[in-house]
Amino acid sequence: MTEAPPLVALRGASFAYEEGPPVLTGLDFAVREGRALALLGRNGSGKTTLMRLLSGGLRPREGELTVEGRPVRYDRKGLTRLRTTVQLVVQDPDDQLFAASVGQDVSFGPLNLGLPDAEVRARVAEALAALDISALADRPTHLLSYGQRKRTAIAGAVAMRPRVLILDEPTAGLDPDGQERLLATLDRLREGGTTVVMATHDVDLALRWADDAALLTPSGARTGPAADLLARTDLLAAAGLRLPWGVAVGQLLRARGLLGDADDGPRTPEELAALSAAHPTDR
Ligand SMILES: Nc1ncnc2c1ncn2[C@@H]1O[C@H](COP(=O)(O)OP(=O)(O)OP(=O)(O)O)[C@@H](O)[C@H]1O
Ligand SMILES: [Mg+2]
């Protein structure tokens, strides 16, 4: 039996901005259905560029973008089809929001697909509820707080009911409670069948949230199970990242014989507390 092709993938993709040096060269990158994927790499490594290539906003100079193994066509029809599969939420909500009110902004994508009014209303209501901002539907977008603008931008993408939701640094600028609420929202979307990809500089968040991690380095993208990749100090250093807190604690516990060699370290303070309850010290 052959393995199903990835939901969305770039094969041998190269890209440079006009007049600029190459940003990505011969890149292979795959998003697998149902796997939460964290994209990590230093500033300027090309995360945002890669996400724009995946969502069709940019077109690779060489190589190709595929959806379920089929090359994407960059004509109107092909791009509309891509937009119903992949939605990108950019880092700065002010680059995404433009309508007068929250409800109008979130309805823009579905209206543009030419869906009937009732369907548009249903999708907007669903997206606002998913992001916990139903009460803000009539609020002018320019009066929203940063976190509320961020939620509105994500709701606009969710209203397209994409199979892959790509978020560029979605937790940046959110307070701890806002981060937790966003992660809970993403969990609910994942339970509903949406594949979620996020770019982040937060290795602790990536370890805790992601199934897979992708590290973007000058020699390409390296993708694998988050717990494995985020324990590789060599790869992390090449990507300008540090060891996640939980991996460091896990290494210490193993060295002290408090954790089995094959056991993963804690990913959160709560998991550390549970481990410590399971291994009471006799001193
Ligand atoms: N519109 C643009 N025109 C020209 N060069 C650009 C443009 N956008 C990005 N670049 C360049 O492309 C490279 C990759 O940028 P990109 O924004 O993809 O990186 P990133 O990994 O998202 O960085 P960060 O962590 O800072 O968000 C950088 O060298 C950047 O200067
Ligand atoms: Mg970026």
Side-chain angles (χ1 to χ4, degrees), residues 47-48 91 168-169:
K47 300 180 297 297
T48 297
Q91 181 178 349
D168 201 351
E169 302 193 29

Side-chain angles (χ1 to χ4, degrees), residues 205-269:
L205 175 81
L207 178 71
R208 167 185 162 193
W209 174 78
D211 299 314
D212 293 330
L215 298 183
L216 210 50
T217 68
S219 54
R222 179 77 174 259
T223 307
D228 297 346
L229 229 56
L230 295 175
R232 291 278 305 271
T233 36
D234 52 337
L235 294 177
L236 290 168
L241 299 164
R242 63 171 179 77
L243 205 59
W245 172 91
V247 174
V249 172
Q251 289 174 351
L252 187 76
L253 293 177
R254 264 180 234 109
R256 299 267 170 104
L258 294 168
L259 193 66
D261 281 346
D263 295 333
D264 285 334
R267 294 174 306 169
T268 60

Side-chain angles (χ1 to χ4, degrees), residues 153-175:
I154 298 172
V158 167
M160 296 293 279
R161 293 196 186 148
R163 294 172 69 187
V164 185
L165 181 64
I166 301 183
L167 306 147
D168 201 351
E169 302 193 29
T171 58
L174 297 186
D175 65 26

Side-chain angles (χ1 to χ4, degrees), residues 15-24 39-52 58 91 168-169 199-201 216:
F15 184 82
Y17 290 97
E18 235 162 90
E19 313 279 322
V23 177
L24 301 169
L39 177 60
L40 302 120
R42 61 175 77 237
N43 292 139
S45 59
K47 300 180 297 297
T48 297
T49 305
L50 170 56
M51 292 181 143
R52 293 174 69 195
L58 297 174
Q91 181 178 349
D168 201 351
E169 302 193 29
T200 180
H201 291 282
L216 210 50

